[in-house]
Amino acid sequence: MERLGTGIGWRPEIADAVERMPGVDWVETVAENVCPGHLPESLLRLRARGVTVVPHGVSLGLGGAHRPEEARLAGLAERALALGSPLVTEHIAFVRAGGPPTGSPPLEAGHLLPVPRTRDALDVLCENVRIAQESLPVPLAVENIAALFSWPGEEMTEGQFLYELVDRTGVRLLIDVANLHTNHVNRGEDPAGALDELPVEAIAYVHVAGGQERDGVWHDSHARPVPEPVLDILADLASRITPPGVLLERDDDFPERAELERELTVIRETVRGRTTAGERTAAGERTAAGGRTAAGGRTAGGPADPATADRGGSAVRSGAVRPTPRRDGVPVPVDPACEEPGDPGRGGTDPARRRLALAQTALLSSLVAGAAPPEGFDRVRLGVQAEALAAKRAGVVAKVAPELPRILGEEYRPAFLAYAQDRPMTGGYRRDALDFAGHLLRAGRPEDTRARRRLHTWWRERSGPTPPSRRPAARLARTARRILSRH
């Protein structure tokens, strides 16, 4: 795998700062936010200096029940070629559901949601990854995501799930150590245990980011400095293998350039210290004092179970570690004619896709369309997830249509959250912005006449005819004006 070095996520808000930062070997850009034919000048200047640029996709939905859309794959491939990238990356997540064969209209999550760690989900994911690999001109790496909730009836740990995915597809991994920390807080999963089980030799690069805890739930916001527990997990990973690349992500509440540079320095020192000395003195002192690190249940970098670990600390690839194939909790015999149960290259994944589609649609309907939560889920955590999706949606709409918060002022956020409560996004964020504005206008809002006139002008310039009012008198008046204007 190509050595990338230390990098930072390129965002328009910090583009100038990134260009002036010393020691930035590479950057990562959100693939959907750049146009191949009109690349940002900042990225072009970085490329001209020899800085590698990697497109990072967020909308393929490789963990979804449907096969990846050809148009989305073509767009990701086009960006990889335009940027001269050595690889592209995406997420192990689903972002949409519904449609055939669920009997539900198409639904968009607007953000990344976890897939269940089941045989059905793994079979579908493996086929989707293979489809993507065949369509892309460069290698693909996929990222573990942060989760606010757990699926009921999961059959594998995260490490086992990722190991099987790599084993069956040869895909590379983008390991986000901040997401391992998130899943430790939110799902009680041990980051060190995950590192024990996953194939660290398949890592393409590593993400590092900050977040914040609210009411006992960790939100992977990428809007805060990297906390010490995340650095502990990075150090543990670096003690097992030298990662080809490490990248700092920051997506909001951007600090001054000097603070970002300090964070990059800490990340470099964390990786260098663990890969040369085998341990960080500071981590050892914390362990000696407390007997336990915040990164997991056992000391970061400490001895793994000798029955399942090699000298590097990673899991031995043996039958003792590989999960027993199960479906609905029942052991599934492996067909000798297939490499794996339900192998997509043999029996196909259509039955698994149907089951996964129904499960994901029921979940997403509860999160974005006001449906009842499916059985077995933690209702409180689903409520937290629904609120997070709505907040994310409001924030992105405010970025793609910044005129809306300017027109509506303090009314924007509560009005959008109320609108989104039972109105799922179906056509992307720009369409969502137009639908929201049309919804307000039909309701005669905002009450301020001047603001309503500005909103109507904004809506009309971008979408066409005036949205029909719910008030009969208003509709009658508009009809009369149109008739009179013809004479």
Side-chain angles (χ1 to χ4, degrees):
M1 181 65 211
E2 178 174 330
R3 305 295 302 177
L4 294 169
T6 305
I8 188 170
W10 183 92
R11 304 292 184 265
E13 296 88 341
I14 55 172
D16 291 341
V18 170
E19 287 190 62
R20 297 198 300 270
M21 286 181 189
V24 171
D25 302 309
W26 65 291
V27 298
E28 179 191 79
T29 182
V30 177
E32 290 80 358
N33 291 350
V34 295
C35 177
H38 303 279
L39 294 175
E41 291 296 325
S42 173
L43 286 181
L44 293 175
R45 287 192 292 268
L46 288 169
R47 284 189 60 221
R49 284 166 34 191
V51 175
T52 299
V53 181
V54 174
H56 185 53
V58 297
S59 65
L60 271 187
L62 291 173
H66 297 286
R67 291 173 174 83
E69 298 175 23
E70 291 184 7
R72 295 183 189 275
L73 286 170
L76 189 55
E78 190 177 3
R79 286 159 176 80
L81 293 173
L83 293 166
S85 306
L87 79 163
V88 297
T89 58
E90 250 288 354
H91 298 82
I92 302 171
F94 81 99
V95 296
R96 60 188 64 87
T102 66
S104 165
L107 300 171
E108 292 278 345
H111 197 47
L112 307 166
L113 292 174
V115 301
R117 297 171 194 156
T118 61
R119 282 283 153 190
D120 276 352
L122 181 62
D123 290 345
V124 171
L125 175 62
C126 285
E127 185 176 25
N128 287 349
V129 165
R130 290 188 186 115
I131 292 170
Q133 289 171 319
E134 293 171 359
S135 302
L136 295 170
V138 294
L140 170 69
V142 291
E143 178 181 356
N144 61 304
I145 74 162
L148 295 177
F149 63 90
S150 300
W151 281 81
E154 291 192 319
E155 300 161 351
M156 286 170 267
T157 65
E158 181 160 48
Q160 291 168 340
F161 193 82
L162 293 177
Y163 170 74
E164 291 232 8
L165 173 64
V166 172
D167 191 46
R168 291 170 60 173
T169 65
V171 72
R172 292 284 183 170
L173 295 177
L174 192 182
I175 294 300
D176 191 316
V177 293
N179 291 348
L180 292 178
H181 172 67
T182 301
N183 293 343
H184 169 63
V185 176
N186 296 345
R187 299 169 52 140
E189 298 175 354
D190 179 16
L195 294 178
D196 284 342
E197 294 176 331
L198 64 82
V200 293
E201 68 277 1
I203 293 176
Y205 62 88
V206 176
H207 272 174
V208 184
Q212 66 268 5
E213 188 172 347
R214 293 196 300 270
D215 301 323
V217 178
W218 187 267
H219 295 264
D220 183 48
S221 64
H222 298 181
R224 296 289 186 275
V226 179
E228 195 66 25
V230 172
L231 292 173
D232 284 342
I233 303 172
L234 175 63
D236 188 3
L237 186 153
S239 72
R240 303 161 186 262
I241 190 171
T242 302
V246 182
L247 182 126
L248 171 65
E249 289 188 293
R250 189 69 178 244
D251 291 330
D252 210 345
D253 290 343
F254 297 101
E256 296 297 320
R257 174 165 60 97
E259 182 177 335
L260 293 174
E261 289 177 354
R262 282 194 294 271
E263 287 206 271
L264 287 174
T265 297
V266 170
I267 289 169
R268 286 191 197 95
E269 292 176 349
T270 299
V271 173
R272 186 179 301 121
R274 293 297 291 204
T275 54
T276 58
E279 63 181 347
R280 279 194 305 164
T281 303
E285 291 172 350
R286 285 194 300 276
T287 301
R292 178 186 175 98
T293 68
R298 66 173 177 80
T299 303
D305 182 347
T308 60
D310 60 19
R311 288 187 300 170
S314 59
V316 175
R317 313 308 172 199
S318 68
V321 176
R322 295 174 68 91
T324 301
R326 293 176 178 269
R327 182 165 283 123
D328 298 328
V330 179
V332 177
V334 178
D335 183 346
C338 298
E339 293 180 1
E340 300 286 348
D343 180 65
R346 301 282 184 167
T349 58
D350 286 348
R353 286 186 185 278
R354 284 192 292 271
R355 290 188 292 267
L356 185 62
L358 291 171
Q360 290 180 340
T361 300
L363 174 62
L364 191 52
S365 295
S366 74
L367 294 175
V368 302
E375 185 178 353
F377 284 92
D378 184 325
R379 290 173 175 253
V380 173
R381 283 298 178 89
L382 290 192
V384 173
Q385 180 68 81
E387 292 175 0
L389 288 177
K392 174 77 172 182
R393 188 173 159 191
V396 176
V397 166
K399 287 185 177 180
V400 302
E403 302 87 355
L404 292 180
R406 287 201 292 265
I407 293 171
L408 299 173
E410 294 182 356
E411 185 181 347
Y412 167 75
R413 189 172 180 83
F416 188 92
L417 293 178
Y419 156 81
Q421 191 169 14
D422 58 358
R423 293 175 180 83
M425 183 170 62
T426 58
Y429 286 110
R430 297 187 189 281
R431 179 75 256 171
D432 205 24
L434 291 171
D435 290 346
F436 168 59
H439 163 76
L440 291 181
L441 292 170
R442 284 191 295 272
R445 296 173 58 194
E447 294 183 2
D448 180 78
T449 303
R450 183 180 178 187
R452 187 165 65 251
R453 187 179 302 118
R454 290 176 62 199
L455 181 64
H456 183 272
T457 300
W458 180 90
W459 187 94
R460 186 181 58 209
E461 289 175 348
R462 289 159 179 80
S463 61
T466 302
S469 172
R470 292 179 180 174
R471 296 176 297 176
R475 293 201 302 269
L476 181 61
R478 280 201 299 271
T479 302
R481 285 197 296 270
R482 285 198 299 269
I483 294 174
L484 291 174
S485 66
R486 297 172 185 168
H487 298 281

